[in-house]
């Protein structure tokens, strides 16, 4: 099997996986449910924003000719004829020698050409004194200065952040057309694996992966379909996978059963029921992994060790889910840090070390989170990120510069 399926670089494994994914079909949903989803249509403005010219300041709207000669010594005197709050319009054109008291956001009355802010006038009974000339449009927001009718405001492919949700509301759109969320089946394998509330017995361990993987799916915008635990038999696993297909899974994620042991059945089931594309990537943790498809539905067999399955998820399942959601930016951002601890290793795999980060004197320092074994759940619990050590380094000295993939970067774009 090893000759037929060579060990792939992380990039090549990722490329071969992502070839099998594309954005899912669109659905129309209320905008309050559309946060973090990706638009499947161009959103075009039907009217200008703001729709009417309006005042940017609380002040007095007036004709610029009436204050053209105004000076501190000879202020112009204008009679205040109306009071206009935001939300109302005056239809009467403003007459020479008069002003309208107007609040921020209120539409400019016909004939008014500028707004004198409250702080620049003196009030004298029902008159105001203006002490200098004003240019036309001073303190007035133009109609359409933000958005013009007919403009593509939000292009197809854009991820909806809170500001885009607000823009949709401003445009009068209660709904948005977005790519639907992928349904991702989650299946743990192993005779030794039991669920949270099952009574513990010697030889058994609780299913951590089923829960981590489901939470990761949700975190990155998918809908987990929990299939429970399959014992290590071809029949049991095949049945569970059929159930996942019947449940309409767009993607199936298993954990465990992908290495070289006697009971590693995921690869066997993939080969028997569908097609296996590859099964190893040159990385640590997480070398064993299986990727294939059954009835046209991609299946990624994550490793059984909890740290390995989480890291493999981040590297391979996450970009697949993001692709189905219509996202284009699939990489997690990397930051520069100094890896304080020395690392000794001898294989030619890329290492993803669990680190916690510390800021000191404008520099980011990364510290190993203790034991880096692929079964050490606490190494992930304490981690802020994964320090990446390239495959061509056999060891690194203390204080070595590294790139760190931040685990909890907000997911945008
Ligand atoms: P496997 O790849 O199936 O040989 O599993 C590798 C290691 O991961 C074994 O020690 C398993 O007991 C452990 N393991 C497998 N599945 C899970 C799981 N769902 N939760 C926690 N540990 C697991
Ligand atoms: Mg197993």
């Amino acid at each position: 099997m090893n000759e037929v399926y060579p060990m792939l670089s992380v990039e090549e494994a990722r490329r071969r996986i992502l070839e099998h994914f594309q954005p899912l079909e669109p659905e129309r949903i209320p905008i309050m449910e559309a946060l973090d989803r990706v638009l499947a249509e161009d959103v075009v403005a039907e009217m200008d924003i703001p729709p009417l010219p309006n005042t940017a300041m609380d002040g007095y709207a007036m004709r610029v000719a009436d204050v053209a000669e105004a000076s501190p010594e000879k202020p112009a005197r204008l009679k205040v004829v109306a009071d206009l709050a935001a939300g109302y319009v005056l239809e009467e054109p403003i007459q020479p020698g008069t002003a309208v008291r107007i609040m921020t956001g209120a539409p400019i009355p016909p004939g008014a050409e500028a707004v004198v802010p409250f702080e620049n006038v003196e009030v004298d009974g029902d008159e105001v004194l203006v002490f200098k000339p004003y240019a036309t449009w001073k303190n007035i927001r133009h109609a359409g200065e933000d958005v013009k009718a007919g403009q593509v405001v939000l292009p197809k492919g854009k991820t909806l952040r809170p500001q885009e949700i607000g823009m949709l509301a401003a445009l009068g759109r209660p709904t948005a057309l977005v790519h639907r969320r992928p349904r991702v089946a989650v299946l743990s394998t192993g005779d030794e694996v039991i669920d949270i509330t099952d009574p513990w017995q010697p030889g058994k361990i609780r299913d951590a992966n089923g829960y981590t993987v489901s939470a990761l799916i949700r975190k990155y915008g998918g809908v987990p379909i929990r299939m429970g635990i399959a014992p290590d038999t071809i029949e049991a696993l095949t049945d569970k996978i059929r159930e996942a297909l019947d449940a309409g899974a767009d993607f199936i994620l298993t954990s465990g059963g992908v290495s070289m042991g006697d009971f590693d059945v995921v690869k066997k089931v993939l080969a028997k029921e569908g097609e296996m594309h590859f099964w190893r990537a040159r990385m640590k943790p997480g070398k064993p992994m299986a990727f294939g498809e059954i009835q046209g539905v991609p299946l990624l067999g994550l490793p059984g060790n909890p740290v390995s399955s989480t890291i493999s998820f981040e590297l391979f399942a996450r970009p697949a889910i993001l692709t189905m959601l219509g996202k284009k930016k699939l990489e997690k951002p990397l930051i520069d840090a100094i890896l304080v601890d020395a690392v000794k290793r001898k294989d030619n795999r890329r290492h993803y070390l669990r680190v916690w980060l510390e800021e000191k004197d404008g520099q980011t320092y990364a510290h190993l989170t203790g034991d880096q074994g692929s079964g050490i759940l606490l190494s992930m619990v304490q981690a802020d990120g994964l320090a990446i050590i390239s495959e061509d380094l056999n060891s690194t000295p203390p204080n070595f510069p590294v790139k760190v993939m931040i685990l909890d970067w907000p997911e945008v774009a």
Side-chain angles (χ1 to χ4, degrees), residues 56 134 286:
Y134 280 79

Side-chain angles (χ1 to χ4, degrees), residues 188-189 192-193 205-209 255-257 259 264 304-306:
S188 303
T189 72
E192 77 282 28
V193 181
I205 56 157
R206 294 235 158 72
D207 178 13
N209 297 347
S255 74
S259 44
D264 290 331
N305 277 306

Side-chain angles (χ1 to χ4, degrees), residues 227-350:
M227 307 302 305
I229 302 161
D232 287 321
T233 67
I234 290 185
E235 298 69 39
L237 186 61
T238 306
D239 281 353
K240 285 281 192 191
I241 289 173
R242 291 208 178 118
E243 267 178 53
L245 294 170
D246 289 345
D250 300 297
F251 186 19
I252 301 171
L253 287 173
T254 61
S255 74
V258 284
S259 44
M260 305 279 274
D262 293 347
F263 301 99
D264 290 331
V265 291
V266 173
K267 286 180 289 174
K268 290 180 192 144
V269 170
L270 256 185
K272 183 163 155 279
E273 298 288 315
E275 197 183 337
M276 187 158 98
H277 299 313
F278 70 86
W279 74 279
R280 284 178 307 166
R282 196 173 298 118
M283 59 188 276
K284 184 177 177 175
K287 176 173 72 171
M289 175 171 74
F291 181 68
E293 59 192 278
I294 294 184
Q295 292 177 25
V297 175
L299 184 152
L300 180 62
L302 299 166
N305 277 306
V307 174
S308 312
S309 65
T310 306
I311 294 177
S312 299
F313 184 107
E314 291 283 357
L315 294 177
F316 305 110
R318 173 181 173 275
I321 290 171
L322 296 184
T323 300
M324 287 188 278
L325 283 164
K327 305 216 179 193
K328 303 263 164 23
K329 188 164 165 273
L330 305 179
E331 297 290 347
K332 274 207 154 165
L334 302 179
I335 63 157
D336 290 301
I338 303 288
L339 180 59
V340 176
D341 310 274
V343 173
K344 288 203 178 62
R345 46 180 283 270
K346 291 181 192 63
D347 53 15
N348 290 313
R349 291 192 271 160
R350 186 175 307 170

Side-chain angles (χ1 to χ4, degrees), residues 22-38:
Q22 55 190 25
L24 297 176
E25 67 279 5
E27 59 179 357
R28 186 165 288 287
I29 58 172
I31 58 170
M32 272 317 287
E33 284 163 34
L35 184 64
D36 288 335
R37 302 285 285 276
V38 179

Side-chain angles (χ1 to χ4, degrees), residues 350-365:
R350 186 175 307 170
H351 281 213
Y352 291 88
L353 302 169
R354 276 73 72 212
V355 293
W356 59 273
L357 300 174
E358 180 189 27
E359 295 291 329
K360 219 166 48 187
D361 308 326
Q363 179 67 259
T364 307
Y365 292 89

